[in-house]
């Protein structure tokens, strides 16, 4: 994977719909079977999120190799309420394949089943379904392992301190963040001095996350650590601690978007777990093309993670995985 150029926070509001792959040649084999020029629909979890910008760049890279096109349609919020109508509109256009990050492990099953019933292939990327049997392939991070990595980093940062730790999660039913919490809670058991306060849900709201952290700081004077499973929660946690003028609490989050990088640079977040969305996008695109051309498909692919801190933020290994709408040069 090539080095990323990450953009300033102000440019992170660029719409994912601007990311459209070139190509579209109607390539056919001698026997008449199509070998390229496919119509790929990509439905990320939410618009204006550089994580999904990187996923889109990866899908584009895979699509370009087969002369296929990518149409990106993203919901305005990470919710099935916004995503399902977009999925239904995409199905009506009859693409060859839909690559989607389901915003709910159950609610997206029925509309995706309707897509496959019409002969449209489905590949899941980033998030998945409770019953993923309808998908040709699913590509996701190993979020349980990434959660354990977050716990190990927080325990390292806390050293010999004793106290309580809170997890701020998104909402129940999101497979990626549910798994992050599972891994984190398991990893936290390695230190008997730490009291695990469990998780509270922000329901994708920065304001709710901020309120949760403010209330926890007030009711738990021994609070020394916060684990945030996603960018919304980290932003809310940072705002709450800033308002409380509390520098005793160490935050470990999951955010390599430009604002998340700045949080590290400013010392407001001690570490961010950085996933590999570009790699996810490439793998999802490749498996989609394989499914369409009759090649062998790898049913499940998982990608890893690295941890970014102020000390290693400028290292090549971290820099190449920071999330961005700017695709690597061909």
């Amino acid at each position: 994977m090539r080095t990323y150029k990450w953009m300033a926070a102000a440019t992170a509001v660029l719409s994912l719909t601007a990311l459209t792959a070139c190509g579209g040649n109607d390539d056919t084999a001698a026997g008449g079977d199509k070998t390229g020029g496919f119509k790929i629909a990509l439905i990320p979890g939410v618009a204006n999120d550089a994580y999904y910008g990187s996923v889109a760049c990866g899908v584009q890279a895979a699509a370009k190799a087969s002369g296929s096109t990518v149409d990106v349609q993203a919901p305005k919020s990470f919710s099935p309420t916004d995503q399902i109508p977009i999925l239904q509109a995409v199905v009506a256009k009859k693409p060859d394949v839909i690559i989607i990050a389901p915003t709910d492990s159950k609610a997206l099953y029925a509309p995706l089943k309707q897509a496959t019933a019409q002969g449209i292939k489905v590949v899941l990327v980033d998030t998945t379904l409770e019953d993923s049997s309808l998908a040709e392939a699913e590509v996701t991070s190993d979020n349980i392992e990434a959660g354990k990595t977050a716990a190990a980093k927080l325990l390292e940062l806390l050293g010999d301190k004793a106290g309580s730790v809170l997890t701020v999660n998104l909402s129940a039913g999101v497979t990626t963040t549910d798994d992050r919490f599972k891994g984190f809670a398991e990893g936290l058991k390695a230190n008997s001095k730490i009291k695990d306060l469990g998780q509270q849900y922000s329901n994708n709201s920065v304001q709710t996350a901020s309120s949760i952290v403010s209330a926890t700081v007030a009711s738990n004077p021994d609070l020394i650590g916060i684990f945030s499973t996603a960018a919304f929660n980290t932003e809310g946690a940072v705002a709450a601690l800033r308002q409380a003028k509390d520098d005793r609490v160490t935050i470990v989050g999951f955010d390599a978007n430009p604002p998340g990088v700045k949080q590290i640079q400013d010392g407001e977040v001690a570490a961010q777990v950085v996933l590999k969305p570009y790699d996810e996008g490439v793998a999802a695109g490749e498996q989609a093309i394989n499914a369409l051309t009759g090649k062998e498909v790898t049913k499940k692919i998982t990608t890893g993670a690295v941890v970014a801190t102020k000390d290693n933020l400028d290292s090549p290994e971290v820099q190449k995985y920071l999330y961005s709408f700017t695709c690597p040069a061909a």
Side-chain angles (χ1 to χ4, degrees), residues 290-314:
N290 286 349
L292 291 167
T293 56
K295 295 181 180 179
E296 183 178 355
V297 175
T298 303
K299 184 68 176 177
K300 188 164 185 176
I301 298 173
T302 55
T303 57
V306 296
V307 178
T309 65
K310 187 176 285 190
D311 291 338
N312 70 1
L313 187 58
D314 293 329

Side-chain angles (χ1 to χ4, degrees), residues 107-120:
L108 270 294
Y109 180 83
L112 284 171
K113 189 68 174 177
Q114 292 173 0
T116 60
Q118 296 186 40
I120 301 170

Side-chain angles (χ1 to χ4, degrees), residues 232-243:
F232 295 122
N233 305 329
T234 309
E235 185 179 345
V238 166
L241 294 181
R242 188 188 299 132
Q243 184 175 9

Side-chain angles (χ1 to χ4, degrees), residues 61 101 138 156 188 294 316:
E138 51 184 315
E156 175 191 326
L188 214 58

Side-chain angles (χ1 to χ4, degrees), residues 122-141:
V122 170
V123 171
L124 307 177
V125 66
D126 182 40
T127 50
T128 187
L129 298 171
E130 189 175 88
D131 179 0
S132 60
S133 60
L134 58 76
E136 300 293 326
E138 51 184 315
V139 182
T140 186
S141 304

